Amino acid sequence: MASVSLSEAEKVYIVHGVQEDLRVDGRGCEDYRGVEVETDVVSNTSGSARVRLGHTDILVGVKAEMGTPKLEKPNEGYLEFFVDCSANATPEFEGRGGDDLGTEIANTLYRIFHNKSSVDLEALCISPREHCWVLYVDVLLLECGGNLFDAISIAVKAALFNTRNQLQANRWNTAPGIVCALLSPDLPPGPDPSQVSIADTRFRLLHPRLDHIDLVG
Amino acid sequence: MPGDHRRIRGPEESQPPQLYAADEDQEPDARDPTRLRPVYARSGLLSQAKGSAYLEAGGTKVLCAVSGPRQVEGGERGGGPAGAGGEAPAALRGRLICDFRRAPFAGRRRSPPQGSGEERELALALQEALEPAVRLCRYPRAQLEVSALLLEDGGSALAAALTAAALALADAGIEMYDLVVGCGLSRAPGPSPTWLLDPTRLEEERAAAGLTVALMPVLNQVAGLLGSGEGGPTESWVEAVRLGLEGCQRLYPVLQQCLVRAARRRGAAAQS
């Protein structure tokens, strides 16, 4: 959607509507657009998800690779995020324009998934100080139709859930003598859109309540 | 190369010896949760920068310099939409470019001089917090560059950088609506611990959640808020923000005095 310039009268009209709890597309102030979530859409990844929230389209792919744990946290694996705002999403992202937004979103994702209640990082460890799972989470913005943070957080959570589902079906031979058997606890699949982004004041409240990834090495 | 005795090749990666040292588990001392460390602030110390400020709070030392306004590089794209409060269109407003850098010797481990993602995130946080305070509409088609250098990280680095950056902008004579004062908070892990104001590095490392609040004291408006971690129920975050705002208000007189002293110094130097 190309950006539209609004006249002052149109802006006043929109503001008055919001004050009456009526937005331009007929929703109330606290109503969500319909969300469509699909998992397991990309075959080469360990987990993937695609989320459509109105005109916003996000595709997330997770690749699980083996790496060395970080020195300060020898008993934990880790996640690496990369957000790609391509020029397909909106014309403003042409060239390097989307880099800043991509970095900001990636940094926010690091903050969310950096604590114990989001992802059980200790379960990603295979052998302390030597091997651990590194989950490379790559987010692609296919179309930008507003409310990026919510859509991306839903998509990342769905993709991580899909990763767990895929890995639990296999037994992996990680190194000579070490066999990684993966158990499958019961976890409800519903994504919980628990971020609220209020555009004008740029105030983001993040309250993650995500399920665990349980990989036992 | 085997048999090459001219070059001594050590291991490729180096680590500090503390990692392998015996666990010196120093617990941070119990203290009054609302105490602020004594602050030393001085502005107008760099001769080559338009405005500068140095802030020391406990073990945290930040140096900030402001340059500009100068012409925007790269040219602006044509007139963008006007801002929310009827401000000048985006192309005519000035730009604030912030840079946050950590000296390699600032933390316990040597960090490589190239910027990491964390520094870019903090630079973005600086910009978001300083923009509401600066009258950018008075600097059309110009850009102001603020660069903060963290010399030593003793806890609450972002808060100190925010305060130093605002002081430096004021010292440079940039038109502002108000100063921006930053305050850091942290919460230790556990069932229901209290929020600690102005944490030291030890407290921050052991924290389960951290928060930085930026306040414009006279207007009493929050300019920026950045926090993350497991902070417990929502009310606990509300209480933390309130504590942070009080801390910012208590810090404000120190900064006022610093700017007055700098102005006097400049006046005395101009006369002689």
Side-chain angles (χ1 to χ4, degrees):
Chain A
M1 268 168 60
S3 57
V4 188
S5 321
L6 295 171
S7 69
E8 282 299 321
E10 284 173 311
K11 281 190 209 166
V12 169
Y13 173 75
I14 293 175
V15 169
H16 282 177
V18 169
Q19 284 168 351
E20 308 278 325
D21 194 31
L22 189 65
R23 289 198 272 186
V24 178
D25 50 6
R27 290 186 281 155
C29 283
E30 302 195 356
D31 290 341
Y32 249 81
R33 291 173 283 187
V35 184
E36 292 171 29
V37 181
E38 271 178 79
T39 50
D40 206 14
V41 283
V42 183
S43 46
N44 283 336
T45 55
S46 311
S48 57
R50 181 171 178 199
V51 167
R52 257 165 300 206
L53 178 66
H55 281 285
T56 304
D57 205 338
I58 313 278
L59 179 63
V60 176
V62 178
K63 276 193 171 293
E65 294 186 4
M66 274 189 39
T68 340
K70 299 196 171 151
L71 275 172
E72 309 87 47
K73 307 258 170 82
N75 295 321
E76 294 178 359
Y78 55 98
L79 277 72
E80 291 276 348
F81 291 96
F82 175 66
V83 178
D84 183 22
C85 305
S86 73
N88 304 330
T90 108
E92 283 138 25
F93 291 160
E94 223 167 2
R96 306 295 303 272
D99 279 1
D100 278 343
L101 182 61
T103 319
E104 188 184 347
I105 299 177
N107 286 330
T108 312
L109 287 172
Y110 271 116
R111 277 185 178 260
I112 304 178
F113 288 92
H114 203 60
N115 52 45
K116 285 190 288 285
S117 51
S118 312
V119 173
D120 191 0
L121 292 173
E122 292 195 0
L124 290 176
C125 175
I126 303 171
S127 60
R129 287 186 200 275
E130 281 172 51
H131 299 108
C132 70
W133 287 110
V134 182
L135 297 178
Y136 290 98
V137 182
D138 300 300
V139 180
L140 257 93
L141 254 64
L142 299 173
E143 203 185 339
C144 178
N147 206 3
L148 287 177
F149 279 100
D150 284 31
I152 291 178
S153 68
I154 298 174
V156 170
K157 183 182 170 184
L160 288 174
F161 175 74
N162 185 226
T163 313
R164 179 188 66 89
N165 268 342
Q166 297 238 355
L167 290 180
Q168 80 194 19
N170 308 318
R171 290 175 73 88
W172 292 72
N173 243 342
T174 54
I178 303 175
V179 173
C180 189
L182 302 157
L183 313 176
S184 69
D186 258 72
L187 293 174
D192 200 47
S194 37
Q195 279 194 45
V196 174
S197 249
I198 306 177
D200 234 359
T201 59
R202 280 192 290 178
F203 173 66
R204 292 168 225 121
L205 176 67
L206 306 161
H207 190 62
R209 260 191 326 231
L210 304 174
D211 301 309
H212 289 251
I213 300 182
D214 275 342
L215 308 169
V216 178
Chain B
M1 254 169 284
D4 186 345
H5 302 291
R6 282 166 295 175
R7 272 183 265 158
I8 306 171
R9 280 179 306 135
E12 268 136 27
E13 260 187 35
S14 60
Q15 289 104 30
Q18 287 99 349
L19 273 180
Y20 303 101
D23 241 351
E24 18 115 319
D25 232 356
Q26 321 163 272
E27 278 305 311
D29 326 305
R31 40 87 131 189
D32 172 21
T34 59
R35 73 104 180 88
L36 279 175
R37 289 176 295 188
V39 164
Y40 170 76
R42 165 144 177 185
S43 57
L45 58 154
L46 292 177
S47 57
Q48 299 300 316
K50 186 100 186 293
S52 56
Y54 173 73
L55 191 92
E56 219 179 270
T60 307
K61 304 177 169 70
V62 185
L63 181 61
C64 191
V66 167
S67 64
R70 64 168 71 119
Q71 196 175 19
V72 173
E73 298 153 13
E76 279 287 324
R77 292 207 187 161
E87 302 144 3
L92 288 186
R93 293 182 74 207
R95 277 191 353 195
L96 188 66
I97 299 191
C98 293
D99 182 36
F100 181 88
R101 228 167 270 203
R102 204 180 272 269
F105 41 79
R108 264 212 287 193
R109 295 196 63 192
R110 178 182 184 268
S111 55
Q114 297 155 306
S116 67
E118 196 215 349
E119 293 182 2
R120 265 177 303 188
E121 185 193 14
L122 295 181
L124 198 61
L126 265 182
Q127 187 195 346
E128 282 188 351
L130 291 172
E131 262 186 6
V134 179
R135 291 192 74 189
L136 288 170
C137 51
R138 300 279 291 165
Y139 299 97
R141 296 190 202 88
Q143 71 183 25
L144 298 163
E145 282 154 15
V146 179
S147 70
L149 177 62
L150 183 69
L151 297 169
E152 190 182 322
D153 188 357
S156 322
L158 178 61
L162 272 167
T163 319
L167 275 180
L169 281 167
D171 185 53
I174 306 288
E175 295 194 39
M176 297 170 77
Y177 292 113
D178 195 358
L179 273 186
V180 178
V181 187
C183 209
L185 297 113
S186 79
R187 184 182 194 256
S192 61
T194 47
W195 281 90
L196 300 170
L197 191 61
D198 200 14
T200 58
R201 185 176 50 80
L202 268 175
E203 288 165 352
E204 249 184 19
E205 278 174 4
R206 283 165 176 67
L211 179 69
T212 306
V213 186
L215 175 75
M216 293 194 280
V218 175
L219 298 175
N220 206 20
Q221 290 179 354
V222 175
L225 196 65
L226 185 65
S228 64
E230 301 170 48
T234 328
E235 296 77 36
S236 142
W237 286 100
V238 172
E239 189 222 308
V241 172
R242 205 175 295 133
L243 192 59
L245 298 182
E246 275 174 32
C248 293
Q249 291 283 4
R250 277 158 56 190
L251 209 48
Y252 185 53
V254 176
L255 308 175
Q256 274 181 312
Q257 279 183 19
C258 157
L259 285 172
V260 166
R261 274 203 305 263
R264 279 206 197 110
R265 229 180 292 131
R266 213 175 288 127
Q271 273 178 358
S272 55

